Amino acid sequence: MTEEVKEWWELTARWFQDDIDLDVGVNWTGMSADNDLRLLLDVAGKDVLELGCGGGQCSVALAERGANVTGIDLSTEQLAFARDLSDERDTDVAFRQGDVTDLGMFDDDSFDVAFNAYVFQWVEDLAACFREAHRVLRSGGRFVFSMPHPVYGLADPESHEIEESYFDTGRQVTPQDDLDVDMVTYRHSVADVHNALVGAGFRVERMLEPGSADPDDYEEGPWGEHRPELLAKLPSTLIFEGRAA
Ligand SMILES: C[S@@+](CC[C@H](N)C(=O)[O-])C[C@H]1O[C@@H](n2cnc3c(N)ncnc32)[C@H](O)[C@@H]1O
């Protein structure tokens, strides 16, 4: 249900942006601007669509690399933050409000690249989104995205015991102490994401699971979600690189 996701983001966007204080850059792992992954560095002159642009940090970074960027997001509050950021950085990103599962506002074959970071855990119908991404991409266009790795959230952050089932996919409800709305996200298995991409007409060129076995390579996140000892054991981010066939 997109409405409940939108409601959560409208209520939390300002607080989220204050706490996370993301750098301008593509935050592929949700932890820092990971340009060292060397994804999407060659975008100058390309038409680029960010699916779920949030506060605009990624869209603005690609505009600064010379891309013609459009960012779409559900949340009025997130888009307001993104527009302010784009103005501050003197970039010209086209921000639009909408749902990534219905890109009807864009013509077929409009973009060379579609991408996002840490959005698809909020999206139930990935197959619809991927079909739309394929439609708006030109033939040979790239589709690159990162999402939480489905294994990372299965372990208890303190004991590292596996507490949840990988096979329990779909809607996950996390009650919020200080809010009237629950946080609703969706767990997608690796196979489901891969098969939805192939079903939508993408060729999967590469998958990445960035990380290292050394806890010293990590820092704590603002909400205790980044646990260095656990991050050194399990991948927290899954990245797909596909091409519209
Ligand atoms: C964690 S933020 C990530 C934003 C950005 N990629 C970043 O790195 O900051 C997730 C964003 O996805 C947006 N979102 C969630 N579901 C969406 C949907 N179905 N359509 C469009 N945007 C969506 C939310 O409004 C939120 O701004």
Side-chain angles (χ1 to χ4, degrees):
M1 284 277 299
T2 304
E3 265 316 305
E4 57 194 357
V5 171
K6 179 174 186 313
E7 190 182 1
W8 192 87
W9 276 101
E10 298 301 18
L11 286 173
T12 59
R14 291 282 151 178
W15 154 84
F16 172 85
Q17 295 295 347
D18 280 354
D19 275 11
I20 198 165
D21 193 22
L22 285 174
D23 295 333
V24 168
V26 184
N27 298 285
W28 292 112
T29 63
M31 291 184 236
S32 58
D34 306 288
N35 295 335
D36 55 328
L37 293 177
R38 307 202 62 76
L39 300 164
L40 300 188
L41 296 183
D42 54 343
V43 290
K46 302 256 168 68
D47 296 318
V48 174
L49 176 63
E50 183 174 10
L51 296 164
C53 59
Q57 293 88 352
C58 311
S59 283
V60 166
L62 294 203
E64 289 179 346
R65 288 179 206 163
N68 310 311
V69 186
T70 301
I72 174 173
D73 201 281
L74 276 184
S75 161
T76 313
E77 289 290 327
Q78 289 278 76
L79 287 167
F81 186 97
R83 289 190 175 104
D84 287 349
L85 181 68
S86 180
D87 288 349
E88 270 167 38
R89 305 278 293 208
D90 208 16
T91 55
D92 188 18
V93 177
F95 289 111
R96 308 284 298 270
Q97 187 159 24
D99 187 331
V100 297
T101 62
D102 177 3
L103 302 177
M105 66 181 83
F106 305 117
D107 291 338
D108 295 0
D109 307 322
S110 299
F111 297 98
D112 303 302
V113 175
F115 83 102
N116 69 32
Y118 271 66
V119 172
F120 289 149
Q121 72 272 35
W122 304 95
V123 177
E124 181 173 24
D125 192 352
L126 283 191
C129 174
F130 294 173
R131 281 194 300 273
E132 281 289 84
H134 190 273
R135 181 183 65 75
V136 302
L137 278 169
R138 298 180 180 123
S139 177
R142 292 179 72 199
F143 187 24
V144 185
F145 59 85
S146 70
M147 59 195 296
H149 200 299
V151 305
Y152 185 72
L154 304 179
D156 178 85
E158 299 292 341
S159 67
H160 301 183
E161 299 268 325
I162 301 296
E163 290 207 315
E164 296 179 32
S165 170
Y166 177 77
F167 303 105
D168 179 18
T169 55
R171 193 168 183 270
Q172 314 282 317
V173 179
T174 310
Q176 309 281 280
D177 292 341
D178 42 1
L179 285 179
D180 291 340
V181 293
D182 294 330
M183 185 174 79
V184 175
T185 53
Y186 298 90
R187 182 180 294 143
H188 303 285
S189 72
V190 178
D192 285 349
V193 179
H194 179 276
N195 295 339
L197 279 170
V198 173
F202 287 100
R203 192 171 67 238
V204 175
E205 295 191 326
R206 216 159 56 127
M207 288 168 61
L208 302 174
E209 294 168 310
S212 119
D214 183 352
D216 291 339
D217 287 341
Y218 302 97
E219 288 174 12
E220 297 271 352
W223 311 294
E225 77 287 22
H226 302 151
R227 306 285 182 132
E229 295 292 336
L230 187 56
L231 287 161
K233 291 183 181 170
L234 292 175
S236 62
T237 298
L238 178 61
I239 298 177
F240 280 89
E241 285 190 78
R243 201 170 283 278

